[in-house]
Amino acid sequence: MRTIQMIKDKRLLSLILFFSLGGCGEAADAQQSHMPQISVSGNAEITAEPDEATINLMLQTQSADSAGAKAESDRRLNAFLDQLENLGISEEQVTAASLNISAQYDYQNRQQRFIGFQATRSISVDISDLDMLHPVLDTAIKQNVDGIQGINYRSSQEDELKAQARAAAIEDSQQKAAELANAYGAQLGPVYNISYHSGQIERPMYAMASDMAARSFSAESSGGRFIPGDIRFTDSIQVVFDLITQ
């Protein structure tokens, strides 16, 4: 009987401790949830002119057999690379790893007729001087590159610009929180919570998909200048501060 009574006493003590600790936790949560706080969002935007670009091109060749289509694609690519080298652009600045060869068919009177093979190759040219845009585009057209698919602009200082946008967003959140707290007769306390997602970059892009548009563009704008517009770096941060009231 003594052993049974001791077990009952231990169970009773455990229940008392459980409810006591639970009550303390609830009291602490209640006290924390009733602490005055302020939640603000800091935002920032920084713009910069692009100073680098990637030109995306497409080269297509056709032949009666797949080997012939590839050989002609290789020949035209090598001729284009030679001309780029004359402009001071090395092979390290060119990416041409993608090659697709597919059978081509003509459809007449609901009948399929095999007409040969087509080799399609994607080419990307990186330039660190925007003054080279026109010479590269003119060279591509003279070498019968079939399409200019687009120009992607970027900045050589993107890491620094992203850091500046983030710092500006943090400063904006601190300034807003301090002004609001002061307006309500309080002071900022410690930071309670921070919510942050990586900033965004909005780049200007020039798209030109067709061969006809590319040739027209080159003829009309030879010797001109590209004005691509600025790159926008935006960032935001959400912060919750404790408030110290009088």
Side-chain angles (χ1 to χ4, degrees), residues 36 41 46 67 157 220 241:
S41 175
I46 291 179
Q157 306 295 320
E220 294 175 1
F241 293 90

Side-chain angles (χ1 to χ4, degrees), residues 187-233:
Q187 294 181 346
L188 286 183
V191 173
Y192 174 74
N193 183 56
I194 298 174
S195 178
Y196 176 75
H197 299 285
S198 181
Q200 302 294 319
I201 303 177
E202 183 178 324
R203 310 174 192 274
M205 176 180 290
Y206 188 91
M208 186 191 323
S210 70
D211 174 59
M212 183 178 296
R215 295 182 185 278
S216 174
F217 170 82
S218 179
E220 294 175 1
S221 60
S222 180
R225 296 179 63 243
F226 281 90
I227 305 177
D230 291 337
I231 304 175
R232 296 174 62 247
F233 297 83

